[in-house]
Amino acid sequence: MASKSLVLLISDDQEYIRHIDKDEKKFAPEMNRLYESISNVYIPLLKMFESLEKDMIPFKIALVLSPSLCTLFCDPVVQRQYMTWLDRRIAFGKRELKNHKGDSKLVELIKFHLEKAQEDKLNFTSVFGQNILAKFFEYEKKGYVELLATCGTNIFLPHYADMEEILNAQVETGLYAHCTFFGEQPTGFWLPEMGYMPGIERVLRAYGVRYTVLDTRAFLFSNDEIEKGIFAPVECASDIVAFARDSRVDREVFGESGFASGGAYCDVNRDIAFELPLEALSDFFENGTARYASGFRYWSKSEKQYDIEVAEHQCQIDASSFVARKYAMLENAQSLLPESRIVSLVCTFSASRFAQNWIEGIEWLEHVFRCGSMLSFSSFKNILAEKEKLQHVRPYYSSTNGWGYGEALLTQKNDWMIRHVRKASERMVDLAERFPDDTGLKAHLLNVASRELMLAQSCGWANMLWEGNFPEYAAKRFNESIAAFTTVFESLGSNSVNTEWLTNLEAAHPIFPWINYRIFCKKK
């Protein structure tokens, strides 16, 4: 009888957003998403690992930690700003306690959120030593976590299908960054936005990648008849193995009637910082800045006062329901595929959706592991180790962005970006070919141009415009990177450069300090 394996994967899509001010205590609202991800996803994940390991609950999980996220995690400036952000929350919570000391139920909620902020600071500083990545790598070494690499930035690869040099540069940068942060060469690779187009397999295989994950559409819309549906990996061109994700998970977890929408859970949109008058928030917000979440939320999604114990109980119920659904799917697949030694199902989750939509999400995930004894939680590597014969398939173009094909990246709000970044990409390839052996200041300039181009290539800016998530900031950052690239391009033509400008730019964007512009050269 075939074994039933469930693979759970959490991916991040964090943009390289870094704010520098002479006063490091001055807070930029656009950084809030990163800090909420640390507090609501990454620290809870590490605490979950610790709890499950202590109770000897078997678990395995795959993680995609992008180069942008890893760089921000390791940045001393960002680390100090995160602690300042927590200090603000703690101070705000203490003031809330004073303001509502006559309401016992509300005081209980305020204490809950306040203690969460205090515990986050203790964990980040004393328990993890401000080194979150080291803790994740520790669990990877223990066999609980499987780390997949991804591109240098959150590029939508199908937009560059005709530019192999760009594909090579992004994949190579992502793999090198992974080795830099974790000290080992990965065999799995995550395509940003799960953007797949035929031909990317050749690039991945050239860099030693063994497997990736595709959207369900890539399997089901293939011209080949998929023998085992989404319940087994397949082999693509260049011997790359592809796993299909279960696309129903998005709807089951984050849909209108999904688990995350349950009435017992905290309403993240009703943060008290959006409801109090501005004069009552003068100590929390900088003058003239946009409002951002304080972390103090007192209402559930059913518009009742949030009840911590009710929400925790609902987490257990929903986790049990999720496990039962996946078990039933695998049972059915097993009955239809009696000759297979293993049937598997891949469930993917976005870290940002946990952080922004469901603060109990990681707690729910822990209960999934605790009540999932009927299932075998596995990793991609373990499934491939079974060495079962794989069907050869030609997957179909697909993505998780938009309605399945990346449509949200080319709308009236953001389609103006692509012409600028593709032109800059063409110029970068040309520059790399024209100056293959340069050193000194010219090579320095070319490396800066490479870094700024890769930042501009991230589709996260287009997503922010589409979603209305700090759209002015997204447009500004994109334009700054394109302008910086153009300045380098013109400086190389005029043989002159403003060294002060160059120094300031490198200080603002210290990502990929080891980058070599020759990654954009045509491969011989």
Side-chain angles (χ1 to χ4, degrees):
M1 180 180 288
S3 64
K4 299 178 283 291
S5 294
L6 191 64
V7 181
L8 304 181
L9 179 148
I10 296 179
S11 66
D12 89 86
D13 54 0
Q14 175 65 46
E15 292 310 309
Y16 188 70
I17 298 176
R18 183 178 187 266
H19 176 78
I20 294 182
D21 196 279
K22 291 181 181 179
D23 179 7
E24 285 192 3
K25 293 186 177 181
K26 192 173 182 180
F27 182 71
E30 57 271 11
M31 297 292 292
N32 199 59
R33 178 179 169 184
L34 170 64
Y35 299 146
E36 289 216 315
S37 292
I38 296 173
S39 285
N40 294 342
V41 178
Y42 296 106
I43 288 178
L45 268 177
L46 289 172
K47 298 304 290 181
M48 180 188 82
F49 297 164
E50 180 185 355
S51 175
L52 293 173
E53 182 183 30
K54 179 183 177 182
D55 294 342
M56 294 186 289
I57 304 294
F59 73 96
K60 287 184 183 292
I61 191 168
L63 294 177
V64 181
L65 303 175
S66 70
S68 293
L69 184 68
C70 292
T71 302
L72 293 169
F73 278 168
C74 296
D75 191 325
V77 172
V78 174
Q79 291 170 353
R80 290 193 297 270
Q81 288 175 343
Y82 174 62
M83 287 186 284
T84 299
W85 178 84
L86 287 172
D87 287 338
R88 284 192 178 204
R89 287 199 162 191
I90 292 168
F92 183 81
K94 289 178 178 178
R95 198 183 71 177
E96 280 287 278
L97 278 178
K98 290 181 181 179
N99 292 342
H100 300 282
K101 57 185 177 182
D103 188 335
S104 59
K105 286 188 176 180
L106 188 54
V107 163
E108 183 183 349
L109 276 175
I110 295 170
K111 284 183 177 178
F112 170 74
H113 292 303
L114 174 59
E115 289 169 3
K116 170 72 166 66
Q118 292 170 329
E119 287 174 8
D120 287 343
K121 185 174 182 181
L122 177 66
N123 283 320
F124 186 72
T125 54
S126 301
V127 180
F128 305 140
Q130 301 181 40
N131 194 344
I132 289 178
L133 288 188
K135 295 300 292 185
F136 280 119
F137 188 52
E138 180 183 316
Y139 282 103
E140 196 264 353
K141 283 298 181 186
K142 291 179 178 179
Y144 296 117
V145 172
E146 181 174 13
L147 295 171
L148 279 70
T150 188
C151 290
T153 56
N154 196 36
I155 186 174
F156 189 64
L157 295 172
H159 285 172
Y160 305 87
D162 60 329
M163 305 174 75
E164 189 166 334
E165 297 81 12
I166 302 302
L167 305 180
N168 287 331
Q170 279 279 356
V171 171
E172 184 173 331
T173 301
L175 290 170
Y176 191 90
H178 189 95
C179 290
T180 300
F181 290 115
F182 301 110
E184 61 183 21
Q185 180 75 15
T187 55
F189 196 90
W190 177 262
L191 302 173
E193 305 289 322
M194 240 181 250
Y196 167 81
M197 75 289 185
I200 190 61
E201 300 96 335
R202 184 177 65 257
V203 175
L204 296 178
R205 197 61 182 143
Y207 287 99
V209 172
R210 180 76 179 98
Y211 63 90
T212 189
V213 185
L214 304 181
D215 186 63
T216 306
R217 296 174 184 83
F219 277 43
L220 301 187
F221 292 168
S222 168
N223 288 330
D224 303 304
E225 184 177 344
I226 310 296
E227 297 169 355
K228 299 180 181 179
I230 64 172
F231 297 99
V234 299
E235 194 173 79
C236 309
S238 302
D239 298 329
I240 289 290
V241 174
F243 292 81
R245 72 163 190 143
D246 178 6
S247 60
R248 282 166 285 205
V249 170
D250 284 346
R251 184 175 64 255
E252 290 172 344
V253 178
F254 295 107
E256 289 185 10
S257 301
F259 299 130
S261 301
Y265 296 125
C266 185
D267 187 347
V268 294
N269 295 317
R270 289 199 62 182
D271 190 289
I272 196 65
F274 296 111
E275 300 190 3
L276 289 175
L278 277 174
E279 54 267 24
L281 297 164
S282 57
D283 295 337
F284 191 70
F285 291 116
E286 303 286 350
N287 289 333
T289 62
R291 294 195 186 206
Y292 54 88
S294 68
F296 288 80
R297 293 132 174 170
Y298 308 142
W299 302 96
S300 69
K301 293 178 181 178
S302 62
E303 300 185 1
K304 297 178 182 178
Q305 194 169 61
Y306 182 55
D307 189 311
I308 302 161
E309 292 182 359
V310 170
E312 183 176 354
H313 180 63
Q314 191 63 46
C315 272
Q316 297 176 24
I317 294 171
D318 289 342
S320 179
S321 175
F322 178 80
V323 168
R325 291 183 191 183
K326 299 310 157 190
Y327 180 80
M329 287 182 67
L330 288 167
E331 275 273 280
N332 189 42
Q334 187 182 65
S335 67
L336 297 171
L337 302 169
E339 296 180 1
S340 296
R341 291 200 304 272
I342 182 170
V343 292
S344 60
L345 194 59
V346 178
C347 301
T348 65
F349 308 93
S350 166
S352 63
R353 297 193 79 172
F354 278 135
Q356 302 297 317
N357 300 101
W358 196 15
I359 61 172
E360 301 91 349
I362 303 303
E363 182 181 353
W364 167 83
L365 189 62
E366 180 173 345
H367 286 299
V368 167
F369 286 117
R370 288 186 179 277
C371 70
S373 57
M374 64 184 75
L375 291 170
S376 169
F377 293 102
S378 189
S379 66
F380 300 109
K381 289 179 181 178
N382 289 156
I383 293 172
L384 291 179
E386 292 288 331
K387 298 189 181 300
E388 191 159 309
K389 183 174 176 59
L390 304 180
Q391 180 187 4
H392 191 82
V393 168
R394 292 162 295 176
Y396 190 73
Y397 172 95
S398 60
S399 169
T400 52
N401 183 278
W403 295 268
Y405 307 100
E407 300 94 331
L409 303 175
L410 291 173
T411 70
Q412 290 182 337
K413 294 181 179 180
N414 54 27
D415 60 359
W416 56 272
M417 292 177 157
I418 191 67
R419 65 180 181 272
H420 296 292
V421 72
R422 276 187 58 91
K423 184 63 179 178
S425 298
E426 292 171 3
R427 286 178 166 179
M428 187 68 240
V429 174
D430 180 59
L431 288 173
E433 290 294 310
R434 285 167 53 196
F435 305 105
D437 303 313
D438 278 271
T439 57
L441 183 58
K442 190 172 288 186
H444 196 166
L445 277 171
L446 288 164
N447 290 339
V448 168
S450 301
R451 183 182 302 118
E452 293 301 318
L453 173 61
M454 297 190 93
L455 291 174
Q457 286 172 338
S458 176
C459 65
W461 312 123
N463 276 329
M464 289 171 72
L465 286 174
W466 166 249
E467 295 166 356
N469 177 27
F470 292 106
E472 296 85 4
Y473 175 82
K476 175 175 173 286
R477 274 295 310 276
F478 174 82
N479 285 326
E480 284 176 352
S481 286
I482 291 294
F485 175 87
T486 304
T487 298
V488 171
F489 183 77
E490 293 173 349
S491 296
L492 290 168
S494 62
N495 205 28
S496 64
V497 64
N498 183 328
T499 53
E500 182 181 357
W501 169 84
L502 186 62
T503 301
N504 290 336
L505 182 63
E506 288 187 303
H509 299 161
I511 189 173
F512 311 138
W514 34 258
I515 199 166
N516 188 321
Y517 72 92
R518 295 172 184 85
I519 57 174
F520 288 98
C521 289
K522 298 179 187 297
K523 296 293 185 285
K524 302 297 189 281

mmCIF file of all heavy atoms in Angstrom, residues 18 24 71-83 130:
data_model
loop_
_atom_site.group_PDB
_atom_site.id
_atom_site.type_symbol
_atom_site.label_atom_id
_atom_site.label_comp_id
_atom_site.label_asym_id
_atom_site.label_seq_id
_atom_site.Cartn_x
_atom_site.Cartn_y
_atom_site.Cartn_z
ATOM 1 N N ARG A 18 14.279 49.126 2.850
ATOM 2 C CA ARG A 18 15.195 49.486 3.932
ATOM 3 C C ARG A 18 15.189 50.994 4.078
ATOM 4 O O ARG A 18 15.403 51.718 3.109
ATOM 5 C CB ARG A 18 16.603 48.971 3.617
ATOM 6 C CG ARG A 18 17.656 49.223 4.693
ATOM 7 C CD ARG A 18 18.967 48.606 4.242
ATOM 8 N NE ARG A 18 19.990 48.659 5.265
ATOM 9 C CZ ARG A 18 20.900 49.631 5.363
ATOM 10 N NH1 ARG A 18 20.864 50.646 4.505
ATOM 11 N NH2 ARG A 18 21.814 49.609 6.312
ATOM 12 N N GLU A 24 17.806 56.903 13.921
ATOM 13 C CA GLU A 24 17.360 55.536 13.666
ATOM 14 C C GLU A 24 16.035 55.218 14.350
ATOM 15 O O GLU A 24 15.377 54.244 14.021
ATOM 16 C CB GLU A 24 18.428 54.535 14.115
ATOM 17 C CG GLU A 24 19.604 54.468 13.167
ATOM 18 C CD GLU A 24 20.499 53.283 13.460
ATOM 19 O OE1 GLU A 24 20.180 52.489 14.360
ATOM 20 O OE2 GLU A 24 21.530 53.155 12.785
ATOM 21 N N THR A 71 18.895 39.198 3.804
ATOM 22 C CA THR A 71 19.741 40.385 3.940
ATOM 23 C C THR A 71 19.187 41.321 4.998
ATOM 24 O O THR A 71 19.935 41.865 5.825
ATOM 25 C CB THR A 71 19.847 41.125 2.594
ATOM 26 O OG1 THR A 71 20.380 40.242 1.597
ATOM 27 C CG2 THR A 71 20.763 42.335 2.708
ATOM 28 N N LEU A 72 17.870 41.518 5.006
ATOM 29 C CA LEU A 72 17.246 42.389 5.998
ATOM 30 C C LEU A 72 17.363 41.800 7.399
ATOM 31 O O LEU A 72 17.607 42.519 8.369
ATOM 32 C CB LEU A 72 15.781 42.630 5.634
ATOM 33 C CG LEU A 72 15.551 43.451 4.357
ATOM 34 C CD1 LEU A 72 14.085 43.405 3.954
ATOM 35 C CD2 LEU A 72 16.002 44.897 4.542
ATOM 36 N N PHE A 73 17.188 40.478 7.521
ATOM 37 C CA PHE A 73 17.342 39.828 8.819
ATOM 38 C C PHE A 73 18.735 40.063 9.408
ATOM 39 O O PHE A 73 18.896 40.177 10.624
ATOM 40 C CB PHE A 73 17.122 38.316 8.690
ATOM 41 C CG PHE A 73 15.676 37.896 8.696
ATOM 42 C CD1 PHE A 73 15.329 36.598 8.339
ATOM 43 C CD2 PHE A 73 14.666 38.769 9.056
ATOM 44 C CE1 PHE A 73 13.993 36.185 8.354
ATOM 45 C CE2 PHE A 73 13.337 38.364 9.079
ATOM 46 C CZ PHE A 73 13.004 37.073 8.718
ATOM 47 N N CYS A 74 19.748 40.097 8.542
ATOM 48 C CA CYS A 74 21.139 40.206 9.003
ATOM 49 C C CYS A 74 21.625 41.650 9.108
ATOM 50 O O CYS A 74 22.764 41.882 9.532
ATOM 51 C CB CYS A 74 22.063 39.441 8.048
ATOM 52 S SG CYS A 74 21.769 37.667 7.987
ATOM 53 N N ASP A 75 20.799 42.592 8.713
ATOM 54 C CA ASP A 75 21.190 43.997 8.673
ATOM 55 C C ASP A 75 21.118 44.600 10.082
ATOM 56 O O ASP A 75 20.035 44.672 10.681
ATOM 57 C CB ASP A 75 20.258 44.753 7.729
ATOM 58 C CG ASP A 75 20.749 46.162 7.427
ATOM 59 O OD1 ASP A 75 21.328 46.798 8.323
ATOM 60 O OD2 ASP A 75 20.541 46.631 6.296
ATOM 61 N N PRO A 76 22.248 45.066 10.659
ATOM 62 C CA PRO A 76 22.222 45.642 12.016
ATOM 63 C C PRO A 76 21.274 46.837 12.134
ATOM 64 O O PRO A 76 20.647 47.026 13.186
ATOM 65 C CB PRO A 76 23.675 46.066 12.249
ATOM 66 C CG PRO A 76 24.474 45.230 11.314
ATOM 67 C CD PRO A 76 23.608 45.022 10.112
ATOM 68 N N VAL A 77 21.162 47.635 11.071
ATOM 69 C CA VAL A 77 20.256 48.784 11.098
ATOM 70 C C VAL A 77 18.813 48.315 11.232
ATOM 71 O O VAL A 77 18.042 48.820 12.063
ATOM 72 C CB VAL A 77 20.425 49.652 9.836
ATOM 73 C CG1 VAL A 77 19.346 50.734 9.777
ATOM 74 C CG2 VAL A 77 21.806 50.291 9.799
ATOM 75 N N VAL A 78 18.437 47.318 10.449
ATOM 76 C CA VAL A 78 17.074 46.786 10.493
ATOM 77 C C VAL A 78 16.810 46.133 11.845
ATOM 78 O O VAL A 78 15.719 46.269 12.408
ATOM 79 C CB VAL A 78 16.842 45.793 9.338
ATOM 80 C CG1 VAL A 78 15.481 45.125 9.452
ATOM 81 C CG2 VAL A 78 16.960 46.505 7.989
ATOM 82 N N GLN A 79 17.796 45.433 12.375
ATOM 83 C CA GLN A 79 17.633 44.790 13.681
ATOM 84 C C GLN A 79 17.362 45.831 14.771
ATOM 85 O O GLN A 79 16.469 45.652 15.608
ATOM 86 C CB GLN A 79 18.892 43.984 14.023
ATOM 87 C CG GLN A 79 19.093 42.764 13.147
ATOM 88 C CD GLN A 79 20.446 42.124 13.350
ATOM 89 O OE1 GLN A 79 21.303 42.651 14.059
ATOM 90 N NE2 GLN A 79 20.676 40.975 12.713
ATOM 91 N N ARG A 80 18.135 46.922 14.758
ATOM 92 C CA ARG A 80 17.916 47.974 15.756
ATOM 93 C C ARG A 80 16.547 48.628 15.565
ATOM 94 O O ARG A 80 15.846 48.933 16.547
ATOM 95 C CB ARG A 80 19.028 49.023 15.674
ATOM 96 C CG ARG A 80 20.376 48.525 16.166
ATOM 97 C CD ARG A 80 21.346 49.658 16.369
ATOM 98 N NE ARG A 80 21.663 50.370 15.133
ATOM 99 C CZ ARG A 80 22.662 50.034 14.323
ATOM 100 N NH1 ARG A 80 23.435 49.001 14.603
ATOM 101 N NH2 ARG A 80 22.902 50.729 13.230
ATOM 102 N N GLN A 81 16.156 48.835 14.314
ATOM 103 C CA GLN A 81 14.864 49.456 14.048
ATOM 104 C C GLN A 81 13.718 48.549 14.492
ATOM 105 O O GLN A 81 12.693 49.035 14.977
ATOM 106 C CB GLN A 81 14.739 49.790 12.558
ATOM 107 C CG GLN A 81 15.620 50.951 12.127
ATOM 108 C CD GLN A 81 15.568 51.192 10.628
ATOM 109 O OE1 GLN A 81 15.135 50.326 9.855
ATOM 110 N NE2 GLN A 81 16.011 52.359 10.208
ATOM 111 N N TYR A 82 13.892 47.245 14.329
ATOM 112 C CA TYR A 82 12.859 46.309 14.777
ATOM 113 C C TYR A 82 12.686 46.382 16.288
ATOM 114 O O TYR A 82 11.558 46.393 16.804
ATOM 115 C CB TYR A 82 13.217 44.887 14.345
ATOM 116 C CG TYR A 82 12.276 43.823 14.903
ATOM 117 C CD1 TYR A 82 10.918 43.832 14.577
ATOM 118 C CD2 TYR A 82 12.746 42.838 15.765
ATOM 119 C CE1 TYR A 82 10.057 42.868 15.097
ATOM 120 C CE2 TYR A 82 11.897 41.874 16.276
ATOM 121 C CZ TYR A 82 10.547 41.892 15.943
ATOM 122 O OH TYR A 82 9.692 40.950 16.468
ATOM 123 N N MET A 83 13.794 46.466 17.006
ATOM 124 C CA MET A 83 13.689 46.567 18.463
ATOM 125 C C MET A 83 13.045 47.891 18.883
ATOM 126 O O MET A 83 12.271 47.943 19.844
ATOM 127 C CB MET A 83 15.076 46.400 19.097
ATOM 128 C CG MET A 83 15.574 44.955 19.038
ATOM 129 S SD MET A 83 17.124 44.686 19.937
ATOM 130 C CE MET A 83 18.305 45.424 18.804
ATOM 131 N N GLN A 130 19.445 37.926 17.993
ATOM 132 C CA GLN A 130 19.201 38.743 16.799
ATOM 133 C C GLN A 130 19.598 38.017 15.507
ATOM 134 O O GLN A 130 19.729 38.646 14.457
ATOM 135 C CB GLN A 130 19.943 40.086 16.894
ATOM 136 C CG GLN A 130 19.542 40.925 18.096
ATOM 137 C CD GLN A 130 20.256 42.252 18.156
ATOM 138 O OE1 GLN A 130 20.456 42.910 17.148
ATOM 139 N NE2 GLN A 130 20.658 42.656 19.355
#
